[in-house]
Amino acid sequence: MRRSANKPLFVDLSDQVMLLARVSALRGPICIEALMECPLNQSPEQLAMTAGQLSGVAKGQLIPATCGIYPQEVLIRRAALDNPAKAKDPAYLPEFVEQQFKVDVRQYAITVMNAAQGTEFKIEKAISKELLFCGAPRRELQATQDQLLSYGLYPERLELGTVATVGGLVHYAGWKGIKSPTLVLQITESQAQVLIFQGESLDVARPIPHGFASMYPLVQEQLGLKDVESARKLFSSNTFDFTEMGPTLLKKLMKELQASTGFYEVQTGQTIGQIFLSGLPDNLGWIAQSISRALCVDVLKPDYTEWLPALGIELGEGVDVSKLGSRWFGLFALMGNYNLPPSVADAKGQ
């Protein structure tokens, strides 16, 4: 049975690592008291013990947490309705999703948002033409909840980490005065998500069928390794610099990426100003460098120290975020209060 924990946690759970933040509260003014990174090559019991020690709960108690997750079969797609008035028919959008994205809506939990502002789409109004469909298979969501429970965490709220990250980036770009479009790329084992936003509008959201797994056979071939599993382990380690091999390993991904950005720039007349690699481990920083060179754009490197106060987030004594990389952005984006008065939200942005 769930009991009240001493300190709640914000959690960002990806394929390989779990990022944890012990906070003063899950809502309202938030103070980050401690940060921790936990590789997932441990038993659930070990992870539960670590989380419990961070939170301060007694053994066997569950820790209230807000969790960002990354389902393998996530649905994050943008689409335009030919006739928005049709969306007032409750049967229209489910049929639209099945036809457009080839998913069984009975098996998915899906929410619909307005692509222009990220606000909730209300069927009774049905005036927005540009929509964003976000969701995941119910079985994956249930499996992830069970996984979190095995780690001693009680997920009071589950969010798609990719969506939270984009929301945070939209706020960061506005706060920083970035006007040009931003390309967000999130690579997982099986695929990559391409998202392009400008201002408060998410203009592109599509998957690319090339993830880390498609690179392992190339690593094996290039380095003469005995099998793909050896290549995967080397790829994930900190012992080899893949910078020189980058163009080869990223060739298929870059072809799709250049097609997406090229089409966007032709359609809008806008040029991509910067890229952000979401959730990328520090040892894979060469990927951002390779893509940056290929597209001739800068890599967006968030200034957490200045930005977090604009989200209503205070840093506790001894908490240093100045050297944290992009993989931590999703965790902080989960915490943000995006409805602060301008006098607070705009502070130090320029």
Side-chain angles (χ1 to χ4, degrees):
M1 177 179 291
R2 178 195 162 205
R3 299 178 184 177
S4 297
N6 287 353
K7 292 291 182 179
L9 302 177
F10 277 91
V11 178
D12 187 83
L13 180 68
S14 61
D15 290 339
Q16 300 173 334
V17 71
M18 180 168 64
L19 303 178
L20 306 170
R22 187 180 75 221
V23 294
S24 57
L26 294 178
R27 299 173 186 84
I30 291 173
C31 177
I32 300 176
E33 299 179 353
L35 296 170
M36 180 176 288
E37 179 176 342
C38 296
L40 296 182
N41 57 353
Q42 307 174 57
S43 69
E45 293 76 17
Q46 289 174 311
L47 289 166
M49 183 180 299
T50 299
Q53 290 173 346
L54 179 65
S55 175
V57 302
K59 185 176 181 180
Q61 292 183 355
L62 292 176
I63 308 161
T66 293
C67 306
I69 61 173
Y70 303 86
Q72 289 295 322
E73 298 179 50
V74 68
L75 174 73
I76 303 175
R77 299 293 294 274
R78 187 185 186 280
L81 303 182
D82 292 331
N83 186 354
K86 289 184 178 180
K88 292 184 178 181
D89 178 356
Y92 177 75
L93 285 180
E95 292 175 1
F96 181 87
V97 170
E98 292 197 337
Q99 292 173 4
Q100 290 286 319
F101 310 133
K102 311 304 179 188
V103 299
D104 185 349
V105 295
R106 294 168 298 181
Q107 305 299 322
Y108 269 67
I110 298 175
T111 189
V112 186
M113 295 186 287
N114 297 304
Q117 293 89 25
T119 54
E120 181 183 359
F121 175 78
K122 296 186 182 297
I123 195 170
E124 63 272 14
K125 294 183 179 180
I127 57 174
S128 180
K129 180 180 178 180
E130 308 293 338
L131 299 181
L132 180 65
F133 297 86
C134 303
R138 296 182 187 277
R139 56 175 172 76
E140 267 204 85
L141 295 175
Q142 184 60 58
T144 303
Q145 288 186 70
D146 293 342
Q147 181 184 4
L148 290 164
L149 288 169
S150 75
Y151 297 163
L153 301 167
Y154 182 86
E156 294 197 347
R157 190 172 93 235
L158 280 180
E159 290 194 25
L160 296 179
T162 305
V163 177
T165 296
V166 172
L169 286 168
V170 167
H171 181 276
Y172 184 86
W175 170 79
K176 200 69 176 175
I178 297 173
K179 304 297 185 183
S180 56
T182 300
L183 167 64
V184 184
L185 181 65
Q186 185 165 60
I187 309 173
T188 64
E189 282 291 299
S190 58
Q191 65 176 359
Q193 292 286 339
V194 178
L195 306 111
I196 301 175
F197 73 86
Q198 183 179 26
E200 294 185 344
S201 177
L202 182 63
D203 299 324
V204 175
R206 63 176 292 258
I208 290 178
H210 303 296
F212 293 132
S214 66
M215 303 180 197
Y216 304 151
L218 296 174
V219 173
Q220 179 191 3
E221 177 185 338
Q222 292 287 317
L223 299 180
L225 302 176
K226 63 178 182 179
D227 53 34
V228 173
E229 179 60 20
S230 299
R232 185 193 67 79
K233 290 181 179 179
L234 182 62
F235 186 87
S236 302
S237 71
N238 292 311
T239 58
F240 190 88
D241 185 356
F242 287 94
T243 301
E244 291 188 8
M245 292 174 55
T248 300
L249 300 182
L250 297 171
K251 185 176 181 180
K252 291 182 178 179
L253 179 65
M254 281 304 310
K255 184 177 180 180
E256 295 272 3
L257 201 55
Q258 287 169 332
S260 293
T261 56
F263 181 78
Y264 173 80
E265 292 179 348
V266 169
Q267 288 291 105
T268 65
Q270 300 289 321
T271 302
I272 301 297
Q274 51 280 320
I275 61 170
F276 181 82
L277 275 291
S278 174
L280 203 64
D282 292 340
N283 64 298
L284 298 182
W286 58 269
I287 294 179
Q289 297 172 19
S290 294
I291 295 176
S292 171
R293 285 196 294 267
L295 296 180
C296 300
V297 295
D298 293 330
V299 178
L300 180 62
K301 298 179 180 179
D303 182 343
Y304 297 127
T305 304
E306 296 291 328
W307 178 54
L308 291 180
L311 294 178
I313 300 171
E314 179 185 344
L315 297 178
E317 184 177 355
V319 177
D320 182 9
V321 298
S322 62
K323 296 180 176 60
L324 296 181
S326 64
R327 83 180 317 178
W328 289 86
F329 192 95
L331 180 68
F332 297 139
L334 280 175
M335 304 180 193
N337 180 353
Y338 301 109
N339 297 308
L340 291 173
S343 59
V344 177
D346 293 342
K348 302 181 182 180
Q350 303 302 321

